[in-house]
Amino acid sequence: MFFFKSKKPILKDLIPQNYVDIHSHLIPSIDDGSKSMDETFSMINQLQEIGFKEFITTPHIYTSVWNNTEEVIKNKIDEVNGFLKEQSKNICINAAAEYMLDSFFLQRLENEKLLTLKDQYLLIEMSYLNAPIQLYDIIFQIQLAGYTPVLAHPERYGFYHNNFKEFEKLKKSGCLFQMNLLSAVDYYGKNVTICADKLLKNNFIDFVVSDIHHQKHIDSFSKKIDIKNVDALEKAMKNNLLFLS
């Protein structure tokens, strides 16, 4: 008797109708994402072709690395939308930010108006080397300030790969999880994909995003997925409709 494995789908074929991408780096020359308006224009075109309807782009805010501010980001997104209009592109890109939980974050939280994905949803990230010592206090302070923390790409924090209980603890603390689509195609390595699949299996992933920086990311949407929990992935992608304008 012969057994045949089911055919693995191509990632771009799973993008749902009216998909809203809530994490990307499409503003040129502001962080490690797009390098020019032409590159931004090209990436937006390609993503629209595979089903992306709306974008909330999220440049990094990371003290001494990417010293972006609310004013800088708003001015830059106006430039992007002005350029798109000049190109007769019928789309308006919104902007939030991806906040690094660095040693200055709590000061920023107390003194600045933070850029949210929508309403109270605040996108945060950690260093890939280790979590902040005061992580749970930071999460509590975020909630105390009226925000809901959305942790970017939890599957990519290697220090949690062999300590899954920390993911459980983060979820119980009220932190939402946002997975990168490319984690489903081994883009960041096999261990990241395995972790992403386990998070999906446990229904820990709330939203799924592109985290687009450059053309190589775009090209990877043509790869076959390498996860088992496809239904959970598709469900999480549909959750992004929460951010539809």
Side-chain angles (χ1 to χ4, degrees):
M1 183 178 292
F2 294 94
F3 295 90
F4 297 94
K5 292 183 179 179
S6 59
K7 186 177 179 181
K8 292 181 179 179
I10 302 295
L11 178 58
K12 65 181 180 181
D13 293 339
L14 296 179
I15 304 301
Q17 187 176 9
N18 293 326
Y19 181 67
V20 183
D21 190 31
I22 61 170
H23 182 171
S24 64
H25 299 270
L26 294 171
I27 300 177
S29 305
I30 197 172
D31 61 6
D32 57 345
S34 172
K35 304 303 181 188
S36 68
M37 283 291 187
D38 287 338
E39 183 178 10
T40 294
F41 186 67
S42 174
M43 290 195 291
I44 290 172
N45 279 337
Q46 292 176 77
L47 291 170
Q48 283 187 302
E49 286 175 4
I50 62 175
F52 285 57
K53 179 179 176 60
E54 295 184 9
F55 300 86
I56 303 173
T57 196
T58 50
H60 292 288
I61 293 184
Y62 185 0
T63 307
S64 299
V65 180
W66 306 112
N67 290 311
N68 292 311
T69 64
E70 177 194 14
E71 182 180 7
V72 168
I73 292 171
K74 285 186 173 181
N75 287 339
K76 290 291 185 179
I77 199 64
D78 285 345
E79 291 179 17
V80 171
N81 283 318
F83 179 83
L84 294 174
K85 187 175 181 180
E86 289 174 2
Q87 305 302 314
S88 300
K89 193 69 177 173
N90 187 27
I91 188 171
C92 181
I93 309 298
N94 294 313
E98 182 180 10
Y99 291 91
M100 174 62 73
L101 298 185
D102 57 24
S103 58
F104 294 91
F105 176 77
L106 287 178
Q107 181 180 339
R108 195 186 302 280
L109 179 66
E110 182 178 355
N111 298 317
E112 298 180 16
K113 179 182 178 182
L114 303 187
L115 290 170
T116 59
L117 298 169
K118 181 180 181 180
D119 300 328
Q120 76 273 30
Y121 295 96
L122 184 71
L123 185 64
I124 58 173
E125 66 172 335
M126 300 186 288
S127 164
Y128 293 120
L129 299 177
N130 53 263
I133 296 174
Q134 71 277 33
L135 175 60
Y136 291 96
D137 179 56
I138 294 174
I139 291 173
F140 176 72
Q141 293 299 326
I142 288 172
Q143 293 169 316
L144 199 62
Y147 300 107
T148 299
V150 180
L151 181 62
H153 39 64
E155 73 279 6
R156 295 180 65 189
Y157 302 121
F159 46 84
Y160 284 157
H161 286 176
N162 295 317
N163 190 9
F164 202 80
K165 286 190 178 298
E166 284 298 320
F167 289 124
E168 296 174 354
K169 188 176 177 181
L170 281 165
K171 292 296 290 184
K172 288 179 181 178
S173 74
C175 199
L176 301 181
F177 283 2
Q178 167 261 286
M179 173 187 153
N180 283 8
L181 283 163
L182 297 187
S183 293
V185 297
D186 285 354
Y187 182 88
Y188 309 103
K190 188 65 177 179
N191 288 338
V192 171
T193 300
I194 290 171
C195 183
D197 210 10
K198 189 172 182 180
L199 289 169
L200 286 167
K201 182 180 179 180
N202 283 273
N203 293 312
F204 280 6
I205 299 298
D206 299 285
F207 311 111
V208 188
V209 303
S210 75
D211 197 4
I212 287 292
H213 285 66
H214 44 67
Q215 185 61 43
K216 189 176 179 181
H217 285 164
I218 300 276
D219 295 340
S220 295
F221 276 82
S222 296
K223 293 182 178 180
K224 293 181 179 180
I225 67 166
D226 196 27
I227 59 171
K228 298 176 182 178
N229 295 281
V230 181
D231 289 346
L233 176 66
E234 292 183 300
K235 178 182 177 182
M237 279 194 278
K238 290 178 181 177
N239 288 345
N240 287 34
L241 284 172
L242 171 67
F243 301 93
L244 189 67
S245 62

